[in-house]
């Protein structure tokens, strides 16, 4: 039995689908019963779990030969860092109660840094807690920024013709990856018959080509047939822009700190440590899929 946490998200659903297609039993762990239809349709066993409750998480893990674990970012929480630490601590307690032979934790580029990286610091905490407390054969899958994150600014880009960016300068190339490629690689790693290791296996994944904010704007313009230009958000306006997008003050500060680290070149693959992998999905393919969804929603609203 393969247990996939966050199975209703882009990454988790890709992992669950790949494992089911390979003929394996999958227990898809979600927090909301409304998220289960697509997973049940591909033959997953469904488990509901409260990620803040170690016993609930342990029940979801029970009997697993391998677990794919994700700590979600609690967007609506007043203190997302404290909320993430609580989820991580509960998960670690559960993994000590019911230790699977193999564990893959989804992490981020930059997770090797103990501080100064905003929300990525929480993934350093996750990795550290697992290393200290869990005896499973451990895989740390560090992913670059997800291409799907640009969905958040598509309405502005298409409506105003301006793609706001915290990446500075606009022509700076940065690593990014399609979420489905992360999920597919995670499934491959869970199935890999590599021997048990005394140290964690650290694997990084990004797309084949690094991109810039200018590349994103240009691709959106080509796909949509509308003029779109990239625009740097001034540093002193970041927090206000993020709060205007619905983030609380503490969450906004975590993102500000993250992009300060990004622009300083600290959010990248850890040299000489990670096994490097590259996803096949291009930025153009991801943006095309996102635009088709936006078009569908616009048509439905008319």
């Amino acid at each position: 039995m393969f247990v996939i946490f966050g199975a209703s998200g882009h990454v988790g659903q890709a992992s669950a689908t790949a494992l089911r297609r390979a003929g394996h039993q999958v227990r898809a762990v979600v927090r909301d019963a409304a998220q289960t239809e697509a997973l049940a349709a591909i033959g997953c066993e469904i488990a509901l779990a409260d990620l803040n409750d170690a016993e609930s998480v342990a029940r979801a893990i029970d009997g697993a030969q391998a677990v794919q674990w994700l700590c979600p970012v609690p967007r609506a929480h007043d203190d997302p860092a404290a909320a993430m630490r609580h989820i991580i601590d509960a998960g670690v307690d559960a993994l000590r109660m019911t230790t699977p032979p193999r564990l893959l934790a989804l992490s981020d580029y930059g997770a090797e840094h103990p501080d100064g990286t905003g929300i990525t610091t929480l993934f350093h905490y996750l990795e550290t807690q697992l290393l200290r407390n869990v005896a499973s054969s451990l895989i740390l899958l560090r992913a670059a920024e997800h291409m799907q994150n640009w969905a958040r600014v598509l309405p502005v880009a298409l409506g105003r013709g301006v793609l706001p960016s915290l990446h500075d300068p606009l022509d700076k190339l940065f690593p990014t990856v399609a979420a489905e490629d992360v999920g597919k690689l995670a499934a491959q790693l869970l199935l890999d018959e590599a021997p048990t290791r005394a140290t964690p296996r650290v694997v990084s994944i990004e797309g084949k080509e690094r991109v810039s904010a200018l590349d994103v704007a240009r691709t959106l313009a080509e796909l949509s047939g509308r003029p779109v230009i990239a625009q740097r958000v001034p540093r002193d306006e970041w927090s206000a822009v993020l709060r205007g997008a619905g983030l609380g003050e503490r969450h906004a500060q975590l993102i500000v700190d993250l992009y300060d680290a990004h622009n300083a070149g600290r959010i990248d693959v850890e040299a000489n440590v990670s096994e490097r992998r590259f996803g096949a999905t291009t930025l153009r393919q991801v943006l095309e899929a996102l635009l088709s969804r936006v078009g569908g929603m616009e048509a439905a609203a008319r």
Side-chain angles (χ1 to χ4, degrees):
M1 175 69 73
F2 291 82
V3 175
I4 308 296
F5 283 82
S8 61
H10 292 297
V11 174
Q13 193 157 8
S15 299
T17 300
L19 290 166
R20 287 295 300 138
R21 284 177 178 165
H24 297 282
Q25 290 183 305
V26 174
R27 181 180 299 146
V29 184
V30 296
R31 292 175 289 172
D32 185 349
Q35 301 169 325
T36 63
E37 184 176 351
L39 295 162
I42 63 172
C44 292
E45 175 188 324
I46 305 299
L48 298 178
D50 177 356
L51 300 185
N52 288 290
D53 181 347
E55 292 188 358
S56 177
V57 174
R59 285 193 294 271
I61 293 170
D62 188 42
Q65 68 189 81
V67 171
Q68 180 172 309
W69 192 40
L70 166 72
C71 178
V73 177
R75 181 183 174 91
H77 200 281
D78 289 340
D79 189 348
M84 285 182 71
R85 282 192 292 268
H86 191 275
I87 291 170
I88 291 165
D89 291 343
V92 168
D93 286 345
L95 289 161
R96 282 200 300 246
M97 290 182 213
T98 309
T99 305
R102 179 169 295 183
L103 172 66
L104 182 147
L106 295 164
S107 188
D108 271 9
Y109 271 29
E112 70 274 15
H113 299 299
D115 52 45
T117 59
I119 204 154
T120 299
T121 303
L122 279 302
F123 291 94
H124 176 83
Y125 180 77
L126 177 150
E127 291 189 6
T128 302
Q129 290 296 95
L130 291 175
L131 288 169
R132 287 176 180 169
N133 295 290
V134 180
S136 300
S137 178
L138 178 60
I139 304 166
L140 302 174
L141 178 52
R142 294 177 181 167
E145 179 178 328
H146 288 188
M147 296 174 187
Q148 281 80 1
N149 290 351
W150 290 102
R152 301 167 187 165
V153 294
L154 278 187
V156 173
L158 298 176
R160 302 180 189 172
V162 172
L163 179 78
S165 176
L166 305 187
H167 288 286
D168 186 18
L170 293 174
D171 62 356
K172 176 178 70 70
L173 298 176
F174 55 89
T176 186
V177 68
E180 58 266 33
D181 287 342
V182 181
K184 290 174 183 176
L185 175 58
Q188 291 171 16
L189 294 171
L190 287 172
L191 291 169
D192 192 346
E193 293 300 328
T196 302
R197 299 158 59 107
T199 57
R201 183 180 181 186
V202 181
V203 183
S204 69
I205 182 169
E206 61 182 86
K208 288 184 177 178
E209 295 184 351
R210 295 194 168 195
V211 302
S212 68
L214 295 176
D215 294 326
V216 178
R218 181 167 52 250
T219 305
L220 278 175
E222 291 170 358
L223 291 171
S224 68
R226 306 181 192 184
V228 179
I229 61 168
Q231 185 175 84
R232 182 184 67 85
V233 178
R235 172 65 177 73
D236 60 1
E237 296 178 14
W238 287 5
S239 183
V241 167
L242 292 165
R243 292 200 306 273
L247 298 188
E249 183 176 352
R250 289 176 175 173
H251 196 165
Q253 188 59 52
L254 288 172
I255 302 303
V256 167
D257 293 344
L258 169 64
Y259 277 90
D260 276 339
H262 244 305
N263 294 336
R266 298 187 72 210
I267 305 297
D268 211 325
V269 65
E270 186 177 9
N272 304 319
V273 172
S274 295
E275 299 175 36
R276 298 194 69 183
R277 305 292 180 90
F278 299 90
T281 309
T282 65
L283 174 69
R284 187 179 190 89
Q285 289 171 319
V286 170
L287 293 179
E288 191 169 26
L290 292 175
L291 286 170
S292 75
R293 287 186 209 134
V294 170
M297 286 188 286
E298 288 178 345
R302 286 198 291 268

